[in-house]
Amino acid sequence: MSLYIDSSVLLRYLLQSKGFVDLSQFKEDCVSSDLLKLECQRALIRYRLNQEVNDEGLLDLSEQFREILSRISLLKINDEVLRLAEQNWGVILGTLDSIHLASALYIQMDKKEPTVLLTHDKALFAAARLSNLEVLGI
């Protein structure tokens, strides 16, 4: 089994926000899309620019992020993932979440084993369930 982590889960864990999923409890292979790295890096920069963290806090979060990221296998966003992401998921889903869902489905097809998607996003949760993925994290 693979555990697909979307950006909302990793960011909530890093910030220890209410309702975060404790990523340290999972022993499964953790996977995500290259999108995870980009989204999280951009979010950390926004937190600093919005003065939600100071310079020291940003450095600490960045170090924690790099450590967690070293334990996650990242899937390149390839043509097949983009083709999958174009479909209608049955709910209103933004482009980035559509790429996350397509990536999780691609990993499940490629590995020929179940993939569980972790997300705190309600639309992504619903779209993943409609796509017959197991979902955790709301």
Side-chain angles (χ1 to χ4, degrees), residues 12-13 31-32 57 77 82 99 102 106 110 128-129:
R12 196 178 284 191
Y13 176 73
V31 296
S32 194
I77 300 171
L82 292 176
I99 292 171
Y106 179 87
D110 186 56
R129 292 294 299 136

Side-chain angles (χ1 to χ4, degrees), residues 54-71:
N54 59 23
D55 289 338
E56 186 176 305
L58 178 61
L59 287 172
D60 184 48
L61 287 171
S62 296
E63 286 175 17
Q64 290 175 48
F65 172 61
R66 281 191 297 277
E67 192 277 320
I68 294 167
L69 197 61
S70 72
R71 295 181 276 132

Side-chain angles (χ1 to χ4, degrees), residues 68-133:
I68 294 167
L69 197 61
S70 72
R71 295 181 276 132
I72 300 172
S73 298
L74 297 178
L75 170 71
K76 297 280 183 217
I77 300 171
N78 59 37
D79 289 341
E80 180 68 14
V81 170
L82 292 176
R83 187 187 62 70
L84 283 169
E86 292 174 354
Q87 69 183 291
N88 179 346
W89 300 109
V91 297
I92 296 173
L93 197 62
T95 302
L96 301 180
D97 285 337
S98 186
I99 292 171
H100 275 301
L101 179 52
S103 297
L105 290 168
Y106 179 87
I107 289 167
Q108 181 169 267
M109 290 184 298
D110 186 56
K111 290 189 172 191
K112 295 177 178 51
E113 65 182 28
T115 297
V116 177
L117 187 136
L118 282 175
T119 187
H120 291 300
D121 183 276
K122 290 179 183 177
L124 180 54
F125 187 97
R129 292 294 299 136
L130 288 169
S131 299
N132 296 316
L133 277 179

Side-chain angles (χ1 to χ4, degrees), residues 1-11 13 19-32 36 72 97 100-101 104 115-122 124-125 128 133-138:
M1 177 175 73
S2 295
L3 192 64
Y4 186 94
I5 299 171
D6 94 324
S7 305
S8 67
V9 170
L10 183 50
L11 287 169
Y13 176 73
F20 75 90
V21 173
D22 184 0
L23 295 177
S24 66
Q25 71 179 333
F26 296 104
K27 303 304 177 211
E28 295 85 356
D29 290 338
C30 292
V31 296
S32 194
L36 174 88
I72 300 172
D97 285 337
H100 275 301
L101 179 52
T115 297
V116 177
L117 187 136
L118 282 175
T119 187
H120 291 300
D121 183 276
K122 290 179 183 177
L124 180 54
F125 187 97
L133 277 179
E134 185 178 344
V135 191
L136 300 172
I138 286 284

Side-chain angles (χ1 to χ4, degrees), residues 28-44:
E28 295 85 356
D29 290 338
C30 292
V31 296
S32 194
S33 163
D34 273 339
L35 189 54
L36 174 88
K37 183 177 178 182
L38 175 63
E39 283 187 298
C40 290
Q41 286 174 329
R42 297 297 310 155
L44 292 177

